[in-house]
Amino acid sequence: MILQYILQHKRQARMLNKMIKIQSILAIAMLSLAPAIAFSAGNAAEGQNKSVVCQACHGPTGISVQPIYPNLGGQHQDYLVKSLKGFRDGSRQNAIMSGFAANLSDADIEDISAWYASQKGLTEINDK
């Protein structure tokens, strides 16, 4: 009877230890994903739909149709967000871009930036 109690207690202790280990691993995994989730705001699929106007100059995938317009494909998302917000609030000056950015919401900016950041960018610099 005492031996049975001891064996049962040991089994319960092992199960509890396993559960604690699993919970710890899950907690660490969730915490390690938090920065990626926090910095990946924006929906690229929505951004593709919202970037139709942008595509006239910057191209459908962010590779400009004319050399006077910057390539956006593969650019850092946070840079694109900062640039668009700067055009919108006037801290960055460009008459054309300020006009386009004026009516964009924060969500629009995040989505469009996510779309262009998810595209393939240039892999080499072409000096002419």
Side-chain angles (χ1 to χ4, degrees):
M1 184 110 140
I2 295 176
L3 183 60
Q4 188 177 21
Y5 174 78
I6 292 171
L7 289 175
Q8 184 178 9
H9 182 63
K10 282 187 175 183
R11 269 188 249 130
Q12 288 175 347
R14 275 187 256 139
M15 289 285 286
L16 184 60
N17 284 338
K18 285 182 183 180
M19 288 175 59
I20 290 171
K21 285 180 185 177
I22 290 170
Q23 288 174 341
S24 298
I25 291 169
L26 288 174
I28 290 169
M30 294 301 286
L31 289 173
S32 67
L33 291 175
I37 293 167
F39 293 113
S40 65
N43 181 326
E46 285 295 317
Q48 181 180 17
N49 297 331
K50 294 176 181 181
S51 71
V52 172
V53 173
C54 311
Q55 294 175 20
C57 298
H58 298 289
T61 60
I63 304 303
S64 298
V65 295
Q66 305 243 342
I68 61 170
Y69 303 116
N71 291 318
L72 303 179
Q75 184 57 266
H76 294 280
Q77 183 175 347
D78 57 342
Y79 171 77
L80 294 171
V81 168
K82 184 176 181 178
S83 296
L84 282 171
K85 286 182 177 181
F87 289 128
R88 184 180 67 186
D89 69 21
S91 63
R92 187 167 180 171
Q93 298 292 312
N94 180 287
I96 295 170
M97 284 303 302
S98 295
F100 285 123
N103 295 318
L104 295 175
S105 68
D106 285 347
D108 294 338
I109 289 173
E110 293 286 344
D111 293 343
I112 292 168
S113 298
W115 166 248
Y116 281 119
S118 71
Q119 301 305 297
K120 185 175 182 180
L122 295 176
T123 57
E124 62 182 55
I125 298 173
N126 294 324
D127 288 333
K128 292 184 182 184

